[in-house]
Amino acid sequence: MVHVWPLTLRDGELVLRPLRRRDRADFERLRTRNREWLRPWDATDPEAPRRILPFSFVRRWNEQQARLGLYLPLLITVRGKPAGQITAGPIQYGALRTATLGYWIDRDLAGAGLVPRSAALMIDHLFAELGLHRVEVTVRPENDASLRVVQKLHLRPEGTRRAAIHVDGAWRDHSVFALTAEEVRTGDDGKGVLARLHREFFSDTPMG
């Protein structure tokens, strides 16, 4: 197990990397433009459901948690431009060796195969480099786009957690999907989930 930070993961024109100070203007524009589109899926604080965290706080929290090895929060970029985010965490070792994935993408880029590729890159890193055993994704049952992501990645449905996460001002049910390292055939290059995704969806998952 080697936890490396800062971390960069690549697949052709798609690059996952840490959030930087100079990303502030682009990141804030991206969040503002997508706020209403993401609102039904964004987690909220039940004590302050309308609060928007400032960029400086988000970036500092990302750095702190990543350096501690508790989270891997990465900016999704396409040809150098910010397009969304993907985060693995909390990362748990010991008897669990597991992490949960969360992600979002610019509405204008939704459906282009970027989220499945980003998630596949992250899962391969968690399995091959960090030695995790299990990755989990929780999805609101109404979120058809996110359901397509877990289906493309062959995550197994494991049931429903009632009122599991506070989202859009209320406690919402979430469907649970998971994948274990034993369910993936990983090559010497550390690519397993991503390689399978490219084989099965080669027409919408270009490699550069």
Side-chain angles (χ1 to χ4, degrees):
M1 296 181 295
V2 180
H3 181 85
V4 175
W5 188 262
L7 172 70
T8 299
L9 303 175
R10 302 175 184 275
D11 181 45
E13 86 292 1
L14 174 67
V15 177
L16 312 182
R17 62 164 176 82
L19 197 60
R20 301 166 182 160
R21 286 189 180 91
R22 64 176 177 268
D23 292 320
R24 179 170 186 164
D26 288 339
F27 184 83
E28 289 181 343
R29 280 194 296 268
L30 189 65
R31 287 295 303 183
T32 299
R33 189 171 71 246
N34 286 280
R35 184 164 295 140
E36 286 305 306
W37 187 64
L38 295 172
R39 182 179 52 77
W41 324 119
D42 269 351
T44 46
D45 182 344
E47 296 183 355
R50 298 295 180 185
R51 182 172 59 186
I52 298 173
L53 297 174
F55 175 85
S56 58
F57 176 89
V58 172
R59 195 192 64 79
R60 283 198 305 270
W61 186 92
N62 284 359
E63 283 291 319
Q64 291 168 356
Q65 297 297 306
R67 291 191 183 281
L68 290 170
L70 300 177
Y71 283 79
L72 282 177
L74 297 175
L75 185 69
I76 300 173
T77 70
V78 181
R79 298 181 181 88
K81 296 182 178 180
Q85 278 185 299
I86 184 165
T87 300
I91 298 171
Q92 301 177 77
Y93 293 101
L96 293 177
R97 291 181 180 263
T98 188
T100 299
L101 285 190
Y103 43 75
W104 61 269
I105 195 74
D106 183 3
R107 183 175 189 172
D108 292 343
L109 296 173
L114 296 169
V115 172
R117 289 167 66 196
S118 299
L121 273 168
M122 182 71 86
I123 294 171
D124 282 341
H125 178 77
L126 295 173
F127 285 163
E129 301 300 327
L130 297 191
L132 296 192
H133 170 255
R134 172 186 163 93
V135 172
E136 181 178 294
V137 177
T138 58
V139 180
R140 285 192 63 181
E142 305 88 349
N143 191 342
D144 292 336
S146 199
L147 290 173
R148 287 194 294 272
V149 172
V150 296
Q151 289 165 1
K152 283 186 173 183
L153 300 178
H154 294 262
L155 272 71
R156 288 174 287 97
E158 294 192 335
T160 300
R161 289 182 182 161
R162 301 297 179 191
I165 304 174
H166 199 270
V167 174
D168 192 24
W171 294 102
R172 311 288 185 178
D173 294 349
H174 279 68
S175 300
V176 181
F177 299 85
L179 187 69
T180 62
E182 291 85 355
E183 296 172 279
V184 181
R185 182 177 296 176
T186 302
D188 293 338
D189 60 355
K191 300 295 188 292
V193 180
L194 184 63
R196 180 172 63 189
L197 182 71
H198 280 308
R199 286 196 305 270
E200 295 182 354
F201 298 94
F202 62 91
S203 63
D204 62 354
T205 58
M207 291 181 282

